[in-house]
Amino acid sequence: ALHTAQQEKNSEDYQEVYNAIATKMREEKDFDNNNGYGPVLVRLSWHVSGTWDKRDNSGGSFGGTYRFKKEMNDPLSRGLQNGFKFLESIDKQFPWLSHGDLFTLGGVTAIQEMQGPKIPWRSGRVDEPESMVPDNGRLPEPHYGADYVRSYYERFNFTDQEVVALLGAHVLGKAHLKNSGYDGPWDDESNIFSNAFYDNLLKLKWTPEINDAGNKQYDNKEKGYMMLPTDYALFQDPKYLKYVKAYANDQDLFFKDFTKVYTKLIENGIEFPKENKPHLFKTLKEQGK
Ligand code: HEM
Ligand SMILES: Nc1c(Br)cnc2ccccc12
C-alpha cells in the first residue's frame, strides 16, 4: 500500500528549516577537505530513498528508517553518519519535522545552496517504527558496469535517460578510501552543482588503475579526477553515452532532467494528496542573507 503524506505546516515553516540547514552548511564549510556538508547531505537523501522496492513498496524515504542503526550501519552507507550528525541539531530545533522530511529536505537544501536547480519539495512523510527498516543490500555497489547499473535501476522503473541524469550528482564531493574502497578526486571544492561530471567523462583521458584498496577505478592524473566503474559505464555503454553527450552540451537540460528524476527518487512510494502542494525554496542568497 502506498503511504499517504500528511502535510501539517506551510511553506514559511519549511523555508525556516531550509534556512537553518543552509546557514549551518555555511558555518561548517571547511568540512571534508573544504567540500562542506553539501555532498554528503545529497548522498544521504539518495540513500534513504534508494532502499525503495516497487514490488512491495518497502523502503524509500517515507518512514525515515535510516535513523535506526540497522539501516544506518549498512556497509554501503559508510560516511553518511556525518550527514546524520549534521542534521541532529536541525532535528532538535524542529521537533515537528519527520525524519523522512528532514533527510530529503537536507538534500534539496544542499543542491540549491550549491548552485544547483530549484527542487520543488513536497512534505508530509511520517516516521515509521524500527520494525519497518528495510534489509541491507538494496543500495548499489560501485564495482560493476553498464548491465549492472541498468538492471539495478529497473527496481525504480528508471529509463536510461533518467539513470544518466541522476548520476550527474557525482559531480559533488568525493570517494573516501576508508568509506567505500575508492578514492578521489583529489582537488578540493567539488561542491558546485553543474554538468561538469559529463564534460569530464567525455573530454578527459581516463586510465584504469588499481587503488590502495585493490579496487579498479578510472583516474585522470592531470586534473586529479576519478570515476567509479559505475560512472565509467555511462561512457562505455552507447545507450547511456547518448545522454552523457546531451548533458555535457546543455546544462539547462541536465538541470531540468535531474530535477525530475531526483524528485521521483525521493517521492517513490508516497501518495501526496492534491492539496499537498510542492514548496519552492529561496536560496539564502535570494533572501539577501
Ligand atoms: C550506480 C549508482 C551509484 C553508486 C554505485 C554510487 C557509489 C558511490 C560511492 C562508492 C561513493 C563514495 C562514498 C565514499 O567513499 O565516501 C559515492 C559518493 C557520492 N554519491 Fe554516489 N553512487 C551512486 C548513485 C548516486 C546517486 C543517484 C546520487 C544522488 C542523486 C549520488 C550522490 C553521491 C554524492 C553526492 C557522493 C559524494 C559524497 C561525499 O562527498 O561524501 N550517488 N557514491
Ligand atoms: N567527484 C566525483 C567524480 Br569527478 C566522479 N565520481 C564520483 C563518484 C562518487 C563521488 C564523487 C565523484
Side-chain angles (χ1 to χ4, degrees):
L2 278 179
H3 305 293
T4 306
Q6 292 151 27
Q7 163 144 10
E8 62 300 305
K9 297 277 181 181
N10 53 40
S11 288
E12 289 71 29
D13 299 308
Y14 295 106
Q15 181 73 61
E16 221 191 301
V17 183
Y18 176 106
N19 289 353
I21 295 169
T23 305
K24 191 174 164 81
M25 280 174 65
R26 271 192 185 164
E27 287 161 356
E28 304 183 25
K29 61 177 186 296
D30 54 348
F31 171 70
D32 194 23
N33 186 31
N34 296 311
N35 278 338
Y37 277 92
V40 74
L41 289 175
V42 173
R43 188 171 192 231
L44 178 58
S45 70
W46 135 241
H47 272 220
V48 303
S49 307
T51 56
W52 185 66
D53 189 331
K54 69 181 179 186
R55 290 168 298 193
D56 60 0
N57 192 33
S58 57
S61 70
F62 186 79
T65 52
Y66 172 87
R67 70 190 189 279
F68 297 117
K69 57 184 178 308
K70 179 182 149 195
E71 185 169 337
M72 191 181 296
N73 294 338
D74 184 332
L76 285 169
S77 291
R78 221 170 276 131
L80 289 186
Q81 294 88 344
N82 294 313
F84 180 78
K85 286 195 188 80
F86 174 95
L87 290 173
E88 269 176 336
S89 61
I90 307 295
D91 193 7
K92 286 186 185 53
Q93 192 181 348
F94 303 95
W96 49 265
L97 188 70
S98 69
H99 286 88
D101 279 357
L102 175 67
F103 298 143
T104 53
L105 182 52
V108 169
T109 305
I111 290 164
Q112 295 198 180
E113 291 297 301
M114 290 189 283
Q115 303 166 44
K118 285 293 179 72
I119 312 276
W121 175 78
R122 290 192 285 190
S123 58
R125 294 167 186 76
V126 178
D127 281 5
E128 287 178 329
E130 189 151 14
S131 59
M132 298 299 283
V133 173
D135 293 333
N136 286 191
R138 294 179 178 215
L139 294 166
E141 295 186 279
H143 316 298
Y144 311 113
D147 295 345
Y148 171 81
V149 173
R150 189 168 279 114
S151 68
Y152 173 81
Y153 279 109
E154 242 129 59
R155 211 178 71 217
F156 302 78
N157 288 334
F158 285 167
T159 62
D160 287 350
Q161 173 269 314
E162 289 176 313
V163 168
V164 176
L166 192 60
L167 267 167
H170 275 179
V171 65
L172 300 171
K174 63 194 292 287
H176 311 78
L177 208 72
K178 65 188 179 333
N179 288 350
S180 60
Y182 288 86
D183 204 40
W186 300 278
D187 65 324
D188 55 11
E189 303 281 327
S190 27
N191 56 8
I192 307 293
F193 197 96
S194 74
N195 65 343
F197 171 78
Y198 307 102
D199 228 30
N200 295 333
L201 194 52
L202 276 187
K203 297 188 174 137
L204 300 179
K205 195 170 137 332
W206 297 100
T207 312
E209 297 192 313
I210 304 299
N211 68 26
D212 294 348
N215 294 316
K216 179 171 75 169
Q217 62 182 60
Y218 295 83
D219 293 339
N220 173 279
K221 283 276 169 271
E222 293 80 6
K223 293 251 181 174
Y225 289 160
M226 61 78 75
M227 290 287 169
L228 301 169
T230 45
D231 296 325
Y232 196 64
L234 304 185
F235 178 73
Q236 293 171 305
D237 180 283
K239 294 193 287 287
Y240 283 147
L241 181 60
K242 192 169 70 161
Y243 299 109
V244 172
K245 288 177 178 166
Y247 296 140
N249 296 323
D250 186 341
Q251 174 150 295
D252 290 348
L253 178 65
F254 166 52
F255 272 29
K256 202 166 59 58
D257 288 355
F258 178 83
T259 301
K260 275 192 279 193
V261 65
Y262 177 75
T263 302
K264 256 183 167 179
L265 174 75
I266 63 174
E267 295 192 345
N268 270 333
I270 305 170
E271 201 168 26
F272 293 87
K274 65 186 180 322
E275 59 275 4
N276 187 336
K277 295 270 176 283
H279 309 286
L280 250 185
F281 300 113
K282 292 187 178 334
T283 61
L284 289 186
K285 213 165 131 205
E286 282 168 333
Q287 300 170 73
K289 291 176 187 280

